[in-house]
Structures are given as C-alpha cells and as structure tokens.
C-alpha cells in the first residue's frame, strides 16, 4: 500500500502527449533529415570563421544535430554571454573552452546565419 498526497502534474502529462503527437505528425525521419541539414550548414558556416575550430565529427554516419566548436581566440564564456545578450542560446562547454550549437525542428537557416554573423563580429 502506498499513500500519496497532492495531485499529479496533469498539465505536464497532457503537454508531453501533445508534443509527441506533434513530432509524430511531422515524422521522425523528416525531423532527422532537417536537423542534419541544419547542422551541416552550421558546421560549414562556423568552420569559415577565423578563431573557431569545429570539434564535432563531419562524417554523416557519426554526426548529429549538434555542432561543437573550440574557441581559439576568445574566452568561450565571453562569447556565450554576448550571444545570450542577443537571445542566441548556446551551450557552454567550459572544460574545452568551447560552445555547442544544437539544431531542432524549430530552427532555421536564418537562425544559423544570425549566430554566425554575430560570432564573426565578436571574433573580428
């Protein structure tokens, strides 16, 4: 016998179901295809920026929607904060003086362009 008090988080449970329904309506294959296109585009764009070294694999068979870059000419925390101030949210990887960019179905090429334009300005 287990006694529990309070109520279940019904809104979260319903929201999770709706989110899964939304993803399934698009199709996981289409989502994967789109996020890999975006990450390849991102990898190409950031590899052209002086002062960043792409550390994510470029081989499609082992790549994902994540692109990580080592900051060679700047402190990653400074870049992280400057991007955050522009509402560009990235992951800080302090151990490697790196940043991680993650693409998903709600991202666009324009988002990648905004990110890379800001990085170019910050590193010039």
């Amino acid at each position: 016998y287990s006694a529990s008090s309070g109520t279940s988080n019904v809104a979260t449970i319903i929201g999770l179901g709706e989110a899964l329904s939304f993803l399934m309506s698009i199709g996981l294959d289409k989502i994967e295809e789109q996020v890999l296109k975006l990450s390849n585009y991102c990898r190409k764009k950031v590899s052209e920026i002086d002062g960043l070294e792409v550390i994510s694999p470029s081989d499609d068979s082992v790549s994902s929607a994540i692109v990580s870059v080592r900051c060679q000419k700047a402190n990653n925390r400074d870049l992280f904060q400057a991007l955050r101030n522009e509402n560009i949210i990235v992951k800080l990887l302090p151990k490697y003086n790196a940043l991680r960019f993650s693409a998903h179905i709600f991202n666009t090429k324009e988002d990648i362009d905004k990110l890379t334009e800001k990085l170019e300005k910050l590193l010039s």
Side-chain angles (χ1 to χ4, degrees):
Y1 174 76
S2 174
S4 177
S5 63
T7 58
S8 297
N9 190 344
V10 176
T12 299
I13 295 167
I14 292 171
L16 176 60
E18 289 299 314
L20 291 172
S21 293
F22 172 71
L23 292 175
M24 297 309 286
S25 73
I26 296 170
L28 297 180
D29 289 344
K30 286 183 183 177
I31 292 171
E32 180 182 25
E33 179 182 336
Q34 176 63 17
V35 299
L36 289 177
K37 274 186 200 175
L38 283 175
S39 67
N40 285 335
Y41 180 70
C42 182
R43 188 180 305 105
K44 178 186 177 299
K45 295 282 285 187
V46 296
S47 70
E48 297 169 354
I49 300 173
D50 187 39
L52 296 178
E53 174 194 5
V54 177
I55 56 176
S56 295
S58 59
D59 183 350
D60 284 344
S61 68
V62 293
S63 67
S64 70
I66 294 172
V67 177
S68 296
V69 296
R70 184 173 294 118
C71 305
Q72 298 173 313
K73 294 185 175 182
N75 182 287
N76 66 341
R77 289 180 192 277
D78 295 338
L79 294 176
F80 171 84
Q81 191 57 54
L83 292 170
R84 188 178 192 95
N85 291 343
E86 298 288 327
N87 291 319
I88 301 171
I89 308 303
V90 301
K91 174 74 174 163
L92 184 66
L93 302 173
K95 183 176 179 181
Y96 305 101
N97 193 40
L99 299 171
R100 183 177 76 197
F101 317 124
S102 303
H104 208 307
I105 192 67
F106 46 79
N107 294 119
T108 64
K109 285 178 80 173
E110 290 77 17
D111 293 331
I112 307 285
D113 292 340
K114 181 180 174 184
L115 166 70
T116 54
E117 286 168 13
K118 184 64 180 177
L119 284 168
E120 284 175 339
K121 286 180 186 172
L122 291 168
L123 292 167
S124 64

